[in-house]
Amino acid sequence: MNTHKASLAVLLVPLLATLAAAPAASAAPLPTAATASAPVGTASSAGPQQATAPAFRSPEAALGRVAHPLHSTDPRSGLSDLRPFGRMVGDARVVGVGEATHSSHEFLTVKHRVFRYLVEEKGFRAFALEAPWSTGLRLDAYLLRGEGDLKQIMDEEFQGTYRFWNNAEYRDLLQWMRAYNVQHPKDPVRFVGDDGGFAGAELYDHVNAYAAAARPELAPQLAELYRGLRPATAADTYVNDYLAKPLAERRELAKRTGQAVELLGQRPSTDANADADAHAWALQHATAIHQMTTLYAFDWDDPRDITNAMLHRDRIMADNVTWWQQRTGDKIMLAAHNGHVALTTYVPDRYPTVQGGFLRRQLGAAYLSVGLTFGQGAFNALGHDGDVHRYTTGPAAPGTAEHTLDRVRYRDFMVDLRNTPSPARTWLAEPRTVKNIGATYPGIADAPQIRLAQTHDVIIHLQQIQAARLLE
């Protein structure tokens, strides 16, 4: 189970948490902070047009010519400085906004502020997060109709390594979304959970309710296929107990949930009165159940199969976002780690293709990847003792991506990497070490080398960050 628990830390939030790396002596948590020795960062992808400009002596000078200042990270501040960002977004229908750490205050408040802008100025109507599909359903019901208590929902859904989403910053965002919907009941904003680490009881209830109403002949078969699967315990307990099952049993459960998807997919074409929308949603809920059981049917003691599991996870997260966008027509802001929203992987041997790469394949230019980088500051992460600690990183070291980004003319800024003058283009095309901190610290790829021009379309860079405020 030690291997399973370490693997779970990778799965249930962060792309780049540690699987089995030995703790580094230099990164042991201090009472308030620890200093990280390896620098880290973000990335971006070049677009079709290149700016014409006079010669610049350095990449930071060239970037400064096309960068736009970010005046505030406060989500309640004015939005006028984000107009250049709106031009970068253009006609994109899914905008992935990343983070170089999972638990830093400014990354979360910038996402809140960017989402506010996208809702108010660009017509976006959904916020997607790497959280379970069933979690998304509960939060969406709260946002739309005020169902449930927000604190209780967050406490119950954001468990295990999803705990990093149980923070004051996301609570503020969800409260803003609920207030927006009260004021705009006919044009609401929605919440999407795109991940597959847990399948809550709501999914089974929705599928069974659909079958009882529309396909009663399927109800007994579905009940048998789902026997013993509907959660009756807390999410974290359920997942740990599930992973404790023998591999053969987990694979048999995945086979059963796959049969349930096939059963629901066989919709009678002769039923002219059938509700196509209800059927599509029921089939998606059943698919989400199967996504979880498939994820846990990989052999978590085999490093090669863990790579396959990570590929499956990023693929289903992209599939769920694309499904929602195409089913509802909503334009979506996707929040995840930089390594998930990226167009190319940060760690090829562990994550062959990531969510952003799948989304670019599925949506083409309608998907925009935005990386969030930082120069120095603090973040929360799991230590190798399994507890949450606050860590800090010092100023970016010479030669790293952040060291150059810190030297751009603005303290905090955004820049479209598809449209940069020389010598920025040359600098962006070369491998650079970036900060890339997952849920567990130190991790397997805290300081990878990536080519910024291939990895994200846009960068938002902050010089200083502080740790997010986790809720009890």
Side-chain angles (χ1 to χ4, degrees), residues 386-470:
D387 292 332
V388 175
H389 301 277
R390 178 179 177 273
Y391 297 91
T392 63
T393 64
T400 64
E402 293 85 0
H403 185 262
T404 296
L405 294 172
D406 274 346
R407 295 163 67 88
V408 171
R409 59 189 292 193
Y410 304 114
R411 173 180 173 84
D412 298 336
F413 63 89
M414 54 203 134
V415 61
D416 191 335
L417 301 185
R418 300 166 297 180
N419 185 22
T420 58
S422 181
R425 289 196 302 274
T426 302
W427 182 81
L428 291 167
E430 297 171 348
R432 302 287 168 189
T433 300
V434 296
K435 291 188 177 74
N436 189 64
I437 297 162
T440 300
Y441 189 78
I444 59 173
D446 291 335
Q449 285 206 341
I450 59 172
R451 300 177 191 273
L452 295 174
Q454 298 177 1
T455 313
H456 299 286
D457 298 306
V458 173
I459 288 290
I460 298 177
H461 181 70
L462 309 176
Q463 284 201 7
Q464 185 83 36
I465 61 171
Q466 59 184 326
R469 185 156 70 88
L470 298 177

Side-chain angles (χ1 to χ4, degrees), residues 98-163:
E99 58 202 15
T101 82
H102 270 307
S103 191
S104 292
H105 172 80
E106 287 78 9
F107 287 152
L108 303 178
T109 58
V110 164
K111 290 185 184 191
H112 183 167
R113 189 164 182 253
V114 166
F115 183 62
R116 227 188 95 211
Y117 173 83
L118 292 174
V119 168
E120 295 179 5
E121 302 296 334
K122 298 289 287 184
F124 279 60
R125 288 298 180 267
F127 182 91
L129 180 66
E130 51 177 311
W133 182 263
S134 53
T135 298
L137 296 183
R138 287 190 71 185
L139 286 169
D140 194 50
Y142 167 78
L143 296 176
L144 290 176
R145 298 178 294 276
E147 292 181 10
D149 175 77
L150 180 58
K151 181 182 185 305
Q152 180 180 357
I153 295 171
M154 293 180 72
D155 287 346
E156 292 177 354
E157 296 296 330
F158 297 145
Q159 297 187 9
T161 48
Y162 284 125
R163 75 185 75 178

Side-chain angles (χ1 to χ4, degrees), residues 307-393:
T307 297
N308 294 331
M310 295 299 99
L311 182 66
H312 167 78
R313 185 193 177 207
D314 274 275
R315 180 187 291 113
I316 66 172
M317 290 195 294
D319 288 346
N320 290 336
V321 169
T322 298
W323 185 92
W324 184 286
Q325 200 288 310
Q326 295 178 343
R327 189 74 206 171
T328 67
D330 290 342
K331 291 199 282 188
I332 302 170
M333 187 184 118
L334 164 65
H337 196 279
N338 280 344
H340 281 310
V341 305
L343 301 171
T344 58
T345 180
Y346 280 58
V347 191
D349 61 337
R350 189 71 74 172
Y351 306 95
T353 304
V354 293
Q355 183 180 17
F358 284 117
L359 287 170
R360 178 56 61 87
R361 293 179 189 177
Q362 294 167 358
L363 302 174
Y367 174 68
L368 184 83
S369 174
V370 182
L372 267 61
T373 57
F374 74 104
Q376 62 181 307
F379 57 93
N380 301 307
L382 293 169
H384 287 275
D385 57 3
D387 292 332
V388 175
H389 301 277
R390 178 179 177 273
Y391 297 91
T392 63
T393 64

